[in-house]
């Protein structure tokens, strides 16, 4: 999903002159999609390196706040814990699970209550033939 749903956060810049930078992580939304890459390509380090590249590009790696939503919040937490960047002032985590194991268990329970086709599409993911059907639209 693109970052577009976060656009109201740009009001921070308008009201308080706080710079706001939105980006779609590699493979998501409006960013570069690398569909031919295998599962081993998509690592936490890749996403953390991309985030660091963004911070460096804009010259803000010495002083910034980071807001992440959903998977972006998982990435923000991992980035803060693993890299311990000195310029990171605040992290805001929104709509992210505290435990991936618990999230996966509960999501699987919810998927079991779906119709066979929808449940199978969730379980099999876009690699299955379902990706060309209305299930993903």
């Amino acid at each position: 999903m693109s970052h577009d749903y976060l656009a109201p956060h740009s009001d921070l810049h308008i009201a308080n002159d706080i710079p706001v930078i939105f980006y779609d992580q590699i493979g998501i939304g409006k960013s570069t999609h690398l569909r031919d890459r295998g599962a081993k390509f998509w690592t936490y380090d890749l996403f953390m390196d991309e985030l660091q590249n963004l911070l460096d590009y804009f010259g803000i790696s010495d002083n910034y706040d980071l807001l992440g939503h959903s998977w972006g919040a998982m990435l923000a937490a991992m980035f803060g814990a693993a890299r311990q960047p000195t310029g990171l002032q605040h992290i805001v985590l929104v709509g992210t699970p505290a435990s991936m194991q618990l999230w996966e268990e509960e999501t699987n329970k919810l998927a079991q209550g779906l119709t066979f086709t929808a449940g199978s599409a969730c379980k099999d993911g876009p690699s299955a033939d379902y990706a060309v059907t209305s299930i993903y639209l």
Side-chain angles (χ1 to χ4, degrees), residues 36-134:
D36 60 330
R37 301 296 178 129
K40 291 181 181 179
F41 176 78
W42 303 101
T43 65
Y44 277 116
D45 282 329
L46 170 71
F47 289 100
M48 290 190 293
D49 290 346
E50 287 291 311
L51 176 55
Q52 187 61 58
N53 289 340
L54 179 81
L55 297 168
D56 293 342
Y57 176 83
F58 284 104
I60 60 172
S61 61
D62 60 339
N63 184 11
Y64 63 97
D65 298 331
L66 189 57
L67 180 144
H69 176 254
S70 188
W71 153 244
M74 289 184 251
L75 174 60
M78 177 66 78
F79 183 76
R83 303 279 173 101
Q84 300 184 356
T86 58
L88 178 58
Q89 304 301 307
H90 305 93
I91 296 180
V92 179
L93 306 176
V94 180
T96 192
S99 164
M100 275 306 297
Q101 179 181 345
L102 182 59
W103 178 86
E104 187 175 352
E105 290 170 5
E106 295 304 312
T107 300
N108 287 336
K109 287 178 189 175
L110 290 171
Q112 289 174 4
L114 298 173
T115 65
F116 172 76
T117 305
S120 295
C122 290
K123 181 177 176 275
D124 298 340
S127 62
D129 289 336
Y130 305 109
V132 296
T133 70
S134 61

Side-chain angles (χ1 to χ4, degrees), residues 4-62:
D4 291 338
Y5 71 100
L6 293 171
H9 286 76
S10 62
D11 291 345
L12 290 169
H13 176 67
I14 296 166
N16 302 302
D17 199 31
I18 297 171
V20 176
I21 299 169
F22 298 106
Y23 86 104
D24 292 332
Q25 298 158 20
I26 187 171
I28 298 172
K30 298 175 184 174
S31 72
T32 301
H33 290 246
L34 303 169
R35 290 184 173 89
D36 60 330
R37 301 296 178 129
K40 291 181 181 179
F41 176 78
W42 303 101
T43 65
Y44 277 116
D45 282 329
L46 170 71
F47 289 100
M48 290 190 293
D49 290 346
E50 287 291 311
L51 176 55
Q52 187 61 58
N53 289 340
L54 179 81
L55 297 168
D56 293 342
Y57 176 83
F58 284 104
I60 60 172
S61 61
D62 60 339

